[in-house]
Every structure is written in C-alpha cells, then in structure tokens.
Amino acid sequence: MNKSMQLEASLHPEIVLEIKDAENSVAQQVKQIEGFIKDDVDVLIVSPIQSNPITTVIEKAMDAGIPTIVIDRKIDGSNFTAYIGANNVEVGRNAAKYIISHSGEPAEIIEITGQEGSSPAHERSEGFRRAINQIPNLTISHIIKGDWEKASIKEELSKLLDSTEIPKYIFAHNDRMALGAWEVVKEKSLESDIHIIGVDGLFGPNGGIQLVKDRILEATVLYPTGGMEAIKLAEDLINQQSIEKNNILKTIIIDSVNVGIMKNQFDKMNQQQNDIEHQQEVIDKQINTYNSQSKLIQLMIFLLVLLLILSIWSIYLVVKLRKHKRNLESSNTEILAQRNKIEEFAEKLKISNESKINFFTALSHEFKTPLTLITSSIESISERPSKESQEISYETNLIINNSRRLLRLINELLDFRKIENGSFDLRVTKTKIVPFLKNIVDNFKSEALKKSIDLKFSYKSEDLELYLDREMMDKVFFNILSNAFKFTPKNGKVHITIEEEEEKVEILFKDSGIGIPKEEFQSIFDPYMQASNNTRPSSGIGLYITRQFVELHKGNISVSSNQGAEFKISLLKGDVHLKKYVISEVQKGMDTSSERNRVENLIPEEIGANKNLRENAESVLIIEDNLELSFLLQKKLSSEYKVYVSDGVDGVEKALEVIPDVMICDINLPDKDGFQICRELKSDLRTSHIPTIILTALSDKESRLKALKAGADIYITKPFNNQILMESIKSALFNREKLRYYYTNRIDKVNGENFAGAEQFFLKELNALIDANLKNSSFTVEDLAFSLEISRVQLYRKVKALLGMSVNEYINSLRLKKAKNLLQNSKLNISEIAYEVGYSSPGYFSTSFKKEYGISPKELKTS
C-alpha cells in the first residue's frame, strides 16, 4: 500500500506525502493522527488498526475541517469523507465459493479470523459463514482468533489438530496467518491432507501469490490495497472536485490455474514501477543540477561585476594616494616628533587634571549635602508658624551643625594650602593623651549607638603624656574616626587602642569596614587619592593632611587591612625631637571637641507613622546614606505619604519588600550606587513600574544621561527646593495614574505601543495565564503568582499599581467580559457559558454579571 501511494504521489510534484507506521499499536496510531490534525494537513488518509478506537479521532479530524479517506478497514459510523477498499463480505464469500466448488463430499473447516474489533475480520467471517452455512455437507468445526500475525495462531492450531479430527480446509483471514497454519500442518506431516486458503494475494517472496505458486496455499483471495486510488481521491479533494463516498475495489480468487498469469502481471507492474522510480530520480537529479548551475552562474556574474567595480575604484585610489604621499612623507618626520612630545605632555596633564577634577567634584558633593540641609531647613522655618518652637529648634541646630561642617571642609582646604606652601608651625602642649582622645571618641558614641557599632577604647594608664599640637592632632584623630564610621556597616565594630613602648606610643584605630586593597597602602596617603573599592564621595585630601600633621610631630602613620582597615600612629615620647618648636605648659581655647560635641551629636530618632494619614496614602521609599538629610526628607513627606527609609546598603531589598509607589534615591551610596539600584529595580518585573526620582549633588550632563539610561524618571540636583520635590512626587504619581487608566481602558490595544515595555510584557503574560485557566474554577491567585515566579503579595501590589484593582477583581472582570461576548455571539446556553468562564454555579454567575453590567444574562441573551 505504502509503495503504491509513494509511486502515485511521485507523479504529482505538487503533493507532499508523509507516511507514518503505527506498528500495529492503536494508541500510537491515535497519537499520529492527532499530530496530523495539529499540523492542519490538507487531506488525511487512515488505515484503521481497529474500528472503534480510531472512530473518535477521525471524527475529530472531520470536525477540524480536514477531509479524511478511510482505506482498507472501515470505522464505526459514516463520519468520513470517503472509503476505499475491497468488499470484505465478498472476500469471505469468494473463499467459501472456492471451497464449495472444490469439495464434492462432506468436509470440516477451521476458520482463522483476524484481530477482534477489526471491520475486515468481522465482515470476512460474516461473508464466509453465510455461504458455508448454505451447504449441508460443509461445517465450520472450529474458529481460531488471531491478530493478523502467524505467531498468534500457531500454538492454538497445533493443539487443535492434536485433539480433534483432521479438517479438510483451513480458511485464514490473511496470507500471513495462512502461512503460519501451513507451518503447523507441515510439522505434523498433514500438508497433503489439509488445503489452506488465505487472503491478500500480495506480490513478493512471502506474498500470497508466491505461496500459491509454491503450492503452500491452495488459493488466496486477492485483496487490492487501494493506495494508488487513495492518492487520486486526495488530489481530487485538494482540487475541490466531487468524489464517491464508498469506493469498492474488485477481488478475485488466485489458485494454481491463474497464479502464473497473476505473477507475470505483478512482475511487469513491479518492473514498471521500478522504471518510473528510477526515471523520477534521474529527473530530480537533473533539476537539482540545473538549479545549482543556474545559481552558480548568477553568483559568478555578480562577482565579476563586483570585481570590475573594485578594480576601477582601486586604480582611482592608487592615483589619488600617490598625489598625497609625497606631501605626507615630507611632514611625517616633523609630525611624529611633535606627536611624541604632545602625547607625553598630554598624559601628564591628563593625570593631573583627572586628580584635580576628582578632588573638586568630590569636594563639591561634600559641600552640597550640608547646603541642602541648610537651605531646606531655612525654607521649612520660614513656612512654619512660630508656635512650632520645638521643630524650629531642631532645624536651627541642623543649620548650625551643617554650617560647621562647611567650615571644617573650608579649613581642610586651607590646611591643605598651608601644607603645600610649607607654612605650618607647631604649637605643642604637654597633653594627657587618654583624656584628650577619649573626649574625641565620645563624640561618636551616639552614631555608634544609632548604627549598632561596637565602639571600644582601650588603654592601660590615664597619666600617659605626650607633647602635641592639640588642634592638629584633634583633626588627625577626628578624621581617622570619621573614616572608620563612614565605611563600617551596621553591627560592625570600631576599636581604639593605646599601647606604650619604651620610646614611643602607638595609637591603633581598627574597624570592620570595607578595608583597603594591599597594593594601595602607600598611595592612599597621596593627595586626591581614594581607595579603588571606595564608592563614597570624599575629597581625597583628609589622609594626606593627616600624614603631614603626624610627620610634623616626627611621628609615623601606616595602614594595614584584614577584614577592615587598621591605622597605626606612632608618636615619640618626650620633647627632644621638638626642640625647635615653642612649647607651652598650658594652651587655652584649643579644645574644640566640646564645640564639636554640641553640633556633631545631632543624630535623629526614627519618625513614627502619622496617625492622621489617609488610609490609602501612597508610599515613598527614601534611599539616602546621609542620616540628617534622610530624616529631613522623612519629616517633610510623612504628612502626606507612608515613608520608608534605607541607608543604601539594603536599598534593593527594601524596595522589593515594601514595593513603594515612588522611590527617591541618591547616587553616591555606600554599597551600590544609585545608577545600579535604579537599573536593577527597573529590570525587575516586581518593581519596574515604580517611578524613580534621583536626588543627588552630581549636576553634570554625563550623570544625568547615565541616570536616564538606568531608568530614572526625574533628576533633581542638590541643593533642591522642597516645593519642587513635592511637585515632582505628585507628578510621578499622576503619570503613573494616567498609565494605569490607559492599561485598564485600552488593554487590548497596547500590543503595538513603544512605551512601558516591562509592564506591557507583564500584562500580556498575566492575561495569557488567566485566559488559559479561565475555565478552571479552582485556579487561585497563588497558582497565578507561582506561574509568574513572584510572591502572592508582590503580584497583588504589582496589579494594584498598574490596574488599580485586586487580582481577583481583575480575573473576575475578564471572566465577565468573555461571558458577555459568548452571550452575544455564541449558541451556548447560560449554564454552559457560566462553566465555560470558570464559575462554579450559574446562579452566582448571573448575580455577578448583573452586578457588573446592570442586566441579567438572560435579558442580554434574548435582547
């Protein structure tokens, strides 16, 4: 069958024939047919293994609009396009007629049937029995049920021949089982007593025709395959021509009388088929050769034209280059020498400029943060009524504190200038080092408490005395401690230890911060230099000034790093090394630590939730490492918004935890910078919708562009105006509300838009999952969140932010929209529609529908 179909299909180049063999497995055949239905083939040809199991899948193909030709075996019912095959009842009747015509005396017959449930087996048996039962002296003594293969009947037939009277005839429903019957008969040496008739009459070494010719079978009933006719019918269906539904093929008996003629005819047909196949192969090879040669010629012509164009262009370039070559050669030597000098000078200038630019950029950032706090506090004071004296007192202290910070930064610049000019003179005083240093350490206790830092100061004797310039060493110790607290995270530690030796005193400052790379231990004390792992803004001259001050005391400062940084200052005892300096026993007015304590100890407490805040107030996340600025922003915004705060170390984690409506973020942060935080949150499905306001001291064009590329919505530089910040927050929320309105009202039209890509992708994926599970009334929000790989809370917040409704409300709205469409455009009844869109009961569906649209489903259906 397959070969005849392939041969016929080869004569029609427009037909693509795909054949699959189920290997006598019903389940495999069903799976293969479903695959063809999924591929939407033009015509389906099926030879059913069994009628009943294949009927359903063929009806499925017909429902899908695919014409289906049933070949060889029928299915239950008539839901197919056409049937091709022999009349199996006639096949059985012909076998019976042959036995009747060759039997003149009473005889017993054994019938070997095909697979149970197969239409050919049933029909052949029916035709055979009807004819035999009409002859009184012929009896079907036994029936053996096979499965079309010879192995299925050999054991049962062998037992039967041993236990009953030897029959005269055996009728097998196909030649394979007939051959199996002959092998059993031959084993028992009964081949001359029993005559075997088969069905199929196939050509080939083991085919029925050869078996008759070799006198193994008495006769076989020719059963045409119909493969060629099936391809012709398929072509007619593709061309939309009318065809007969039942196409019955003729069958004849082949025995010793006509077997020679039939074999000769099949030999000729086979030879013709082989010749046709060979000719087709030759034609295909010639076509492929022609196509290849044609493409090669076209390619060669294109390459020749291209080569000609390139040759002409090359000649032109050679002529043109020769004209310029002489002029260039004369000036190359001079230019080369000048270039080398310029490059050397430019490299030096680049290093110098880069260092100075980094210095003044960092310094400007240092100035801008306290300026922001000062200007914001002044604005706040001017806007508040006088009765708010307590808040004014705090903000006045804030102004004083940051004014002194600015003064200290300016003094640092002046100190740097004096060091560069060599105009510093020591004014040393005999000082008890422990109380002096303890007074400075006490200034950091409140900050240590605020950040849960373990601050320890260890010493052996409070009476240890050194000759110091108290003002200089106050700056040295304060600077090192400031750096330690600046780079030590929460729950870290800062330890100060004084160790006395015979000729010197060593003061160790050890922290558990980010540390310093080993290869930078020496360069860290150079002007304008910062450690490569330092992302925090600084001027880069603090440690340089510190080293100069220590060396003016003939001391030494060094650094090491192991799970943090450790600075060691060595100072000599006595005053021998300081003879050239003026030494006084008492130095009044130089203890600046008390003044610093009054202003530096301004560490704000946490602000509690505003009880008067409206219930549905939006939330704002502030990511800022400056505690005072963070506190001030929190204080300003808490009257209108729910405010959350992060110092930058846990900025991303905090945003994922609270999913705020707006985020305010600095750029210079201790762990990740603001660009990185913004980029991560904008690329995360859970937070991509959050408007981000960058609030920073960096006002250069590159930083603005970098922030916008990272996904920032608004860029505000310090110092900033409070009203501008408030209006920026309102604007960001308003724009988010407009986008939410757009999504909820044009959800079916956003596929082609070019904005809000992450949100658009999220909504498309969300809608696809809901639509795929709409019929499933047990599909929960947890299932939806699991499919989207986010938590239930994050899904709720995401949908609420984008669509202004809960997930359940959104799912219900989609169900009701689909139900409305089905009510208007389908023939389903109300109950069927209710279950189709996932409602557990029609009554609940009707109630929800009327509540949503103001009309009952029945009224809409009949309108």
Side-chain angles (χ1 to χ4, degrees):
M1 184 191 299
N2 291 349
K3 189 172 182 180
S4 62
M5 285 196 291
Q6 290 171 337
L7 179 62
E8 182 66 22
S10 68
L11 301 176
H12 304 279
E14 72 279 3
I15 293 178
V16 178
L17 178 64
E18 183 178 354
I19 298 176
K20 290 188 178 181
D21 185 2
E23 298 178 350
N24 209 32
S25 169
V26 174
Q28 180 69 8
Q29 188 172 50
V30 170
K31 186 177 180 180
Q32 290 172 350
I33 295 173
E34 287 178 342
F36 282 131
I37 294 172
K38 186 177 181 181
D39 294 339
D40 194 21
V41 296
D42 295 309
V43 179
L44 181 64
I45 300 174
V46 180
S47 177
I49 296 173
Q50 292 184 14
S51 300
N52 185 266
I54 304 301
T55 300
T56 302
V57 72
I58 289 180
E59 289 176 348
K60 184 178 179 181
M62 292 292 290
D63 292 340
I66 300 176
T68 304
I69 299 173
V70 179
I71 187 170
D72 189 23
R73 300 169 185 142
K74 290 183 178 179
I75 63 171
D76 294 345
S78 60
N79 193 6
F80 53 83
T81 307
Y83 167 75
I84 297 176
N87 187 333
N88 282 294
V89 175
E90 187 65 25
V91 169
R93 188 181 295 116
N94 286 342
K97 287 180 180 179
Y98 180 81
I99 293 173
I100 293 168
S101 64
H102 288 74
S103 176
E105 57 186 21
E108 290 188 354
I109 305 168
I110 294 177
E111 181 184 3
I112 300 176
T113 66
Q115 188 172 29
E116 189 174 2
S118 171
S119 65
H122 174 73
E123 292 174 357
R124 290 174 188 178
S125 182
E126 182 183 353
F128 182 73
R129 292 176 190 177
R130 285 180 183 176
I132 292 297
N133 290 338
Q134 293 177 2
I135 308 301
N137 61 344
L138 295 178
T139 305
I140 300 174
S141 60
H142 295 88
I143 297 174
I144 298 176
K145 294 182 180 180
D147 65 355
W148 303 113
E149 301 299 330
K150 65 181 183 179
S152 65
I153 57 95
K154 292 178 72 174
E155 183 178 353
E156 186 175 351
L157 179 60
S158 178
K159 292 178 180 179
L160 186 61
L161 293 177
D162 290 338
S163 61
T164 61
E165 185 178 346
I166 297 172
K168 187 173 184 180
Y169 292 98
I170 294 177
F171 169 51
H173 282 197
N174 72 351
D175 291 336
R176 292 194 299 278
M177 294 190 295
L179 178 59
W182 179 81
E183 290 174 355
V184 174
V185 170
K186 182 175 175 61
E187 287 176 2
K188 300 184 180 298
S189 301
L190 299 174
E191 62 269 27
S192 60
D193 300 325
I194 300 175
H195 305 287
I196 302 172
I197 295 95
V199 177
D200 280 342
L202 298 177
F203 176 78
N206 293 318
I209 294 176
Q210 187 63 42
L211 295 176
V212 173
K213 185 173 178 62
D214 294 341
R215 297 191 178 278
I216 292 173
L217 300 183
E218 180 74 16
T220 183
V221 183
L222 176 64
Y223 187 81
T225 63
M228 184 181 300
E229 290 79 2
I231 296 299
K232 290 179 179 179
L233 280 180
E235 185 181 20
D236 291 341
L237 287 171
I238 292 171
N239 295 329
Q240 297 183 348
Q241 297 180 9
S242 59
I243 62 171
E244 293 290 336
K245 187 174 184 69
N246 291 294
N247 300 270
I248 306 302
L249 304 175
K250 293 182 179 180
T251 180
I252 61 171
I253 290 287
I254 300 173
D255 59 4
S256 58
V257 176
N258 61 355
V259 69
I261 298 172
M262 295 297 293
K263 188 174 187 304
N264 289 335
Q265 288 180 347
F266 275 112
D267 285 340
K268 289 180 181 180
M269 289 174 61
N270 189 52
Q271 182 61 40
Q272 289 175 351
Q273 289 178 352
N274 291 335
D275 291 343
I276 291 172
E277 288 176 357
H278 177 70
Q279 291 174 0
Q280 187 67 38
E281 290 177 0
V282 172
I283 292 171
D284 290 340
K285 287 181 180 178
Q286 290 177 347
I287 291 173
N288 292 333
T289 303
Y290 170 78
N291 292 334
S292 300
Q293 291 177 349
S294 177
K295 291 179 181 178
L296 184 61
I297 291 172
Q298 292 175 2
L299 179 62
M300 290 177 64
I301 293 172
F302 172 75
L303 291 175
L304 286 173
V305 173
L306 183 62
L307 182 61
L308 179 62
I309 294 171
L310 290 174
S311 300
I312 296 172
W313 179 250
S314 299
I315 294 170
Y316 168 76
L317 289 178
V318 168
V319 173
K320 187 175 181 180
L321 288 172
R322 283 178 179 175
K323 289 181 181 179
H324 293 286
K325 185 177 179 182
R326 290 186 293 270
N327 296 331
L328 291 173
E329 286 178 349
S330 61
S331 58
N332 269 351
T333 305
E334 182 181 354
I335 292 173
L336 186 62
Q338 291 177 351
R339 187 192 67 183
N340 291 337
K341 291 180 180 179
I342 291 171
E343 285 181 351
E344 184 179 352
F345 176 76
E347 185 64 27
K348 292 180 180 179
L349 185 63
K350 179 182 177 182
I351 295 172
S352 175
N353 284 343
E354 187 174 349
S355 298
K356 291 178 180 179
I357 288 170
N358 289 339
F359 164 66
F360 285 107
T361 300
L363 199 60
S364 66
H365 184 276
E366 290 288 316
F367 282 143
K368 283 187 175 183
T369 296
L371 274 174
T372 298
L373 291 167
I374 292 170
T375 54
S376 296
S377 298
I378 293 173
E379 288 176 7
S380 178
I381 291 171
S382 64
E383 292 171 1
R384 295 184 185 278
S386 58
K387 64 180 180 179
E388 299 180 8
S389 57
Q390 186 177 355
E391 293 186 7
I392 292 176
S393 175
Y394 166 78
E395 291 172 353
T396 302
N397 287 336
L398 198 62
I399 293 171
I400 296 171
N401 184 40
N402 284 278
S403 298
R404 291 187 180 274
R405 284 187 187 176
L406 283 175
L407 181 61
R408 189 169 63 253
L409 290 170
I410 294 169
N411 287 336
E412 196 172 73
L413 280 175
L414 295 174
D415 290 343
F416 176 76
R417 184 62 178 167
K418 287 180 181 180
I419 290 172
E420 292 288 292
N421 294 336
S423 58
F424 251 119
D425 290 325
L426 289 180
R427 299 173 63 190
V428 297
T429 304
K430 191 175 183 180
T431 305
K432 288 186 177 182
I433 187 64
V434 172
F436 177 76
L437 183 53
K438 188 175 185 298
N439 195 21
I440 298 172
V441 172
D442 287 343
N443 293 320
F444 292 90
K445 284 187 176 179
S446 59
E447 186 172 356
L449 183 64
K450 189 72 176 178
K451 295 175 67 177
S452 300
I453 291 176
D454 179 21
L455 176 62
K456 288 184 179 179
F457 179 30
S458 304
Y459 54 87
K460 292 183 178 179
S461 173
E462 290 192 8
D463 298 326
L464 182 61
E465 293 183 329
L466 293 173
Y467 284 90
L468 305 173
D469 185 316
R470 295 166 64 91
E471 185 176 2
M472 282 190 186
M473 295 312 295
D474 178 88
K475 293 177 180 177
V476 168
F477 296 147
F478 186 81
N479 188 32
I480 293 177
L481 280 172
S482 295
N483 285 340
F485 276 86
K486 187 176 186 179
F487 297 112
T488 300
K490 291 181 178 179
N491 301 310
K493 63 180 181 179
V494 175
H495 292 175
I496 306 101
T497 306
I498 297 179
E499 297 178 354
E500 182 180 2
E501 297 185 6
E502 186 176 347
E503 295 182 351
K504 63 181 179 179
V505 173
E506 290 187 345
I507 306 169
L508 286 76
F509 299 85
K510 182 175 178 59
D511 65 64
S512 60
I514 62 174
I516 299 171
K518 186 176 181 180
E519 61 274 11
E520 298 177 10
F521 283 174
Q522 296 302 320
S523 62
I524 198 67
F525 294 104
D526 294 339
Y528 317 121
M529 293 301 297
Q530 293 179 234
S532 58
N533 61 341
N534 175 20
T535 60
R536 304 287 293 272
S538 63
S539 63
I541 63 173
L543 288 177
Y544 170 70
I545 294 173
T546 296
R547 184 181 64 176
Q548 296 301 318
F549 283 174
V550 171
E551 290 179 351
L552 281 173
H553 286 75
K554 303 302 179 183
N556 180 60
I557 183 170
S558 61
V559 65
S560 61
S561 184
N562 182 21
Q563 295 182 345
E566 181 176 320
F567 286 88
K568 181 169 68 175
I569 297 176
S570 298
L571 297 172
L572 296 173
K573 291 181 177 181
D575 60 355
V576 177
H577 56 290
L578 300 172
K579 280 186 178 179
K580 63 179 179 178
Y581 298 110
V582 177
I583 301 174
S584 62
E585 291 299 323
V586 179
Q587 188 172 9
K588 298 180 179 179
M590 298 307 297
D591 189 358
T592 60
S593 60
S594 61
E595 288 296 319
R596 186 188 304 110
N597 184 56
R598 190 168 71 89
V599 295
E600 294 292 344
N601 198 21
L602 192 61
I603 305 297
E605 298 295 330
E606 294 289 338
I607 296 178
N610 186 353
K611 296 181 180 179
N612 297 323
L613 200 63
R614 51 194 168 88
E615 184 179 351
N616 60 343
E618 292 84 358
S619 57
V620 178
L621 172 62
I622 301 170
I623 305 178
E624 170 63 61
D625 62 330
N626 185 287
L627 291 177
E628 292 175 348
L629 179 55
S630 177
F631 175 77
L632 187 63
L633 289 172
Q634 186 181 6
K635 192 164 172 285
K636 299 290 185 188
L637 299 176
S638 59
S639 61
E640 296 186 40
Y641 306 102
K642 297 175 185 176
V643 182
Y644 302 93
V645 177
S646 168
D647 61 0
V649 177
D650 61 344
V652 174
E653 292 77 8
K654 194 73 172 179
L656 291 173
E657 177 189 346
V658 302
I659 311 292
D661 294 298
V662 179
M663 184 175 70
I664 300 173
C665 185
D666 192 9
I667 288 179
N668 295 297
L669 295 168
D671 187 12
K672 299 175 181 178
D673 61 34
F675 301 125
Q676 190 175 355
I677 289 176
C678 186
R679 193 179 299 111
E680 285 187 23
L681 294 177
K682 285 294 185 179
S683 61
D684 194 304
L685 177 65
R686 296 166 289 182
T687 53
S688 58
H689 64 280
I690 301 173
T692 302
I693 299 173
I694 294 294
L695 186 62
T696 178
L698 301 178
S699 58
D700 57 289
K701 176 182 176 182
E702 290 75 15
S703 296
R704 287 178 179 271
L705 288 174
K706 192 174 180 181
L708 293 174
K709 288 179 181 178
D713 298 273
I714 299 173
Y715 193 94
I716 301 176
T717 57
K718 301 174 184 177
F720 61 90
N721 181 277
N722 284 330
Q723 190 173 357
I724 290 176
L725 177 62
M726 298 296 286
E727 290 301 321
S728 297
I729 295 173
K730 291 178 181 178
S731 176
L733 291 171
F734 179 71
N735 289 336
R736 175 56 56 185
E737 188 63 30
K738 287 199 299 184
L739 190 60
R740 177 190 298 167
Y741 177 82
Y742 187 89
Y743 280 136
T744 53
N745 289 276
R746 298 185 61 189
I747 192 64
D748 57 335
K749 300 179 181 178
V750 296
N751 293 333
E753 302 291 346
N754 296 321
F755 62 90
E759 280 67 47
Q760 182 177 322
F761 176 79
F762 168 77
L763 287 176
K764 288 174 68 177
E765 188 176 4
L766 178 71
N767 287 346
L769 285 169
I770 294 173
D771 187 63
N773 295 278
L774 207 59
K775 294 172 67 174
N776 184 4
S777 60
S778 62
F779 187 71
T780 64
V781 177
E782 286 77 8
D783 298 330
L784 183 60
F786 178 79
S787 301
L788 292 168
E789 298 180 353
I790 59 177
S791 72
R792 184 181 186 280
V793 174
Q794 289 168 338
L795 174 62
Y796 174 83
R797 289 174 177 169
K798 183 80 175 179
V799 173
K800 191 72 174 178
L802 288 178
L803 303 174
M805 63 180 73
S806 69
V807 184
N808 283 323
E809 289 172 344
Y810 184 58
I811 294 174
N812 194 51
S813 69
L814 292 182
R815 283 183 167 141
L816 291 176
K817 284 181 182 178
K818 184 172 182 180
K820 184 178 180 183
N821 182 54
L822 291 173
L823 285 167
Q824 294 174 330
N825 302 302
S826 74
K827 295 181 179 180
L828 299 174
N829 60 43
I830 293 174
S831 296
E832 290 172 334
I833 292 173
Y835 295 125
E836 180 70 20
V837 297
Y839 277 90
S840 57
S841 71
Y844 179 56
F845 162 68
S846 298
T847 303
S848 300
F849 189 89
K850 188 169 184 179
K851 183 178 179 181
E852 177 72 15
Y853 295 109
I855 185 174
S856 69
K858 184 177 181 180
E859 292 171 338
L860 182 63
K861 185 78 172 174
T862 57
S863 62

